[in-house]
Amino acid sequence: NSNIEKLSMKLNLIYSSDKNCDFKISVDEIIKTFDFESLETILISYLKNATNELKITDKIIVNLSNLAQNFGFNDNKIKSILRIVIGPIYQNEILKIIEQNNYNNFSYDMLENVEKSLKIDQETIFINKKASYLKFLEKKVSNNSILSNDDIIEIDNVINFLGINFEIIQNINDTTLEPIFKKATEEALGANYIIPSNYWIGLEKLRKRLRISERKSKEIFYSCITDKLKTILEKAIIDNKKKNSPKENVPKDVGEDPTINKDSGTTLGIEVEE
């Protein structure tokens, strides 16, 4: 197909040159040959090939815009393509710094230079900082059922480095750190379903350390209580059925009480007030 050959020649020219592209294939010809998904893939491929050494030049942006306009794409689509390609590159640089766990002026300057050289807009910066924090936190939680003081300090350092709004951090933590706070709440309830005052204080300290909202902590508490009550009710129904069933002369084995957690209180991860 001649259109494909023309398009291929033009793209090869762009890949091998940093000069502005004079693209003369008509929009009608292009749309007849390719669907929009294929055209988007072509633009993404171009940008990936053109982006070298964490740098996007003004000419690359001009060429991308020319290609996009010839493909019939608007400015919003161009921004979307830029985010698809640049976002993962930027995010990878953030995660490298987090992995090193060394936040100094050099780290701040390096990240700022990456933002400038990739011509990243503020919204893309925000999206990828948030995504980087979530990835870091998920990895931290997957490796630890209970977060140590060192873990909390490391999380604080990441938050301070990224400069993400406290409310956004809390929303992420509410979801990601819920299993840790729920485990502590379940064990604080113990077998009698009453949390002593010193454990309440410990749970509140843990909530603040984990930056979980009060609303979420209440949801978790009520969920734990509901689960406990459900277990009690199910046990009562079973016991009642046994009581009303014909008795047999067989040894009675009541089994273990399903409402009692044998490990209760051993891995709370909370600071209990004496």
Side-chain angles (χ1 to χ4, degrees):
N1 186 299
S2 61
N3 285 331
I4 295 177
E5 290 176 0
K6 287 180 183 178
L7 185 58
S8 178
M9 288 175 60
K10 289 292 183 181
L11 287 174
N12 287 331
L13 176 64
I14 295 170
Y15 291 154
S16 61
S17 173
D18 196 28
K19 296 179 180 179
N20 289 336
C21 171
D22 181 20
F23 203 79
K24 293 183 179 179
I25 302 177
S26 73
V27 174
D28 289 340
E29 287 180 282
I30 292 171
I31 293 176
K32 283 178 184 177
T33 307
F34 302 98
D35 58 31
F36 278 98
E37 187 176 342
S38 298
L39 293 173
E40 182 178 7
T41 301
I42 290 169
L43 288 176
I44 290 171
S45 177
Y46 158 66
L47 191 57
K48 283 182 177 179
N49 280 275
T51 305
N52 296 314
E53 299 179 356
L54 299 177
K55 186 176 182 180
I56 291 182
T57 65
D58 291 336
K59 290 178 181 178
I60 290 172
I61 298 295
V62 170
N63 287 341
L64 177 68
S65 298
N66 287 342
L67 277 170
Q69 287 170 8
N70 278 281
F71 289 175
F73 291 142
N74 58 26
D75 289 343
N76 287 334
K77 194 62 179 178
I78 296 173
K79 287 180 181 178
S80 173
I81 290 167
L82 281 166
R83 282 179 183 156
I84 289 170
V85 176
I86 294 171
I89 298 172
Y90 177 59
Q91 193 176 133
N92 187 53
E93 293 304 306
I94 295 174
L95 291 172
K96 282 182 185 177
I97 295 173
I98 291 175
E99 186 70 26
Q100 293 170 356
N101 195 22
N102 184 21
Y103 308 105
N104 49 35
N105 290 337
F106 176 77
S107 300
Y108 284 98
D109 291 343
M110 186 171 69
L111 195 61
E112 187 176 344
N113 288 335
V114 170
E115 293 166 1
K116 288 178 179 178
S117 63
L118 290 176
K119 301 186 185 301
I120 308 177
D121 62 277
Q122 287 301 313
E123 188 173 355
T124 303
I125 289 173
F126 168 74
I127 289 170
N128 286 280
K129 280 187 174 182
K130 190 170 71 169
S132 298
Y133 175 70
L134 178 58
K135 282 187 178 179
F136 158 76
L137 197 62
E138 286 176 337
K139 183 179 179 182
K140 180 65 67 177
V141 172
S142 69
N143 293 334
N144 304 277
S145 59
I146 295 295
L147 296 181
S148 66
N149 285 329
D150 287 342
D151 291 326
I152 299 297
I153 291 171
E154 187 179 353
I155 290 171
D156 284 344
N157 289 338
V158 172
I159 291 170
N160 291 333
F161 173 68
L162 296 177
I164 304 174
N165 179 279
F166 178 80
E167 186 176 345
I168 293 167
I169 290 294
Q170 208 168 51
N171 288 336
I172 294 173
N173 289 14
D174 277 359
T175 302
T176 310
L177 300 181
E178 178 179 352
I180 291 177
F181 191 76
K182 185 173 184 179
K183 179 179 176 64
T185 304
E186 287 172 339
E187 295 188 358
L189 282 167
N192 58 6
Y193 325 119
I194 298 174
I195 300 181
S197 59
N198 56 339
Y199 274 65
W200 274 118
I201 295 170
L203 280 172
E204 177 60 12
K205 284 185 176 180
L206 179 63
R207 181 190 72 78
K208 290 179 178 178
R209 286 172 62 205
L210 297 178
R211 283 187 169 83
I212 290 176
S213 65
E214 289 186 46
R215 174 191 58 78
K216 188 64 177 181
S217 68
K218 288 177 182 178
E219 284 180 12
I220 293 170
F221 174 73
Y222 291 135
S223 172
C224 291
I225 290 291
T226 301
D227 291 343
K228 289 279 188 182
L229 291 176
K230 183 180 177 182
T231 304
I232 294 170
L233 181 60
E234 289 173 348
K235 183 177 183 296
I237 291 171
I238 293 171
D239 289 346
N240 187 57
K241 284 182 178 180
K242 287 181 179 180
K243 183 178 178 181
N244 294 326
S245 64
K247 294 183 179 179
E248 298 178 7
N249 293 323
V250 292
K252 186 178 180 182
D253 181 10
V254 296
E256 294 182 349
D257 188 337
T259 65
I260 296 177
N261 180 356
K262 289 190 293 184
D263 296 326
S264 178
T266 59
T267 56
L268 284 170
I270 62 176
E271 300 173 18
V272 178
E273 295 287 333
E274 299 294 340

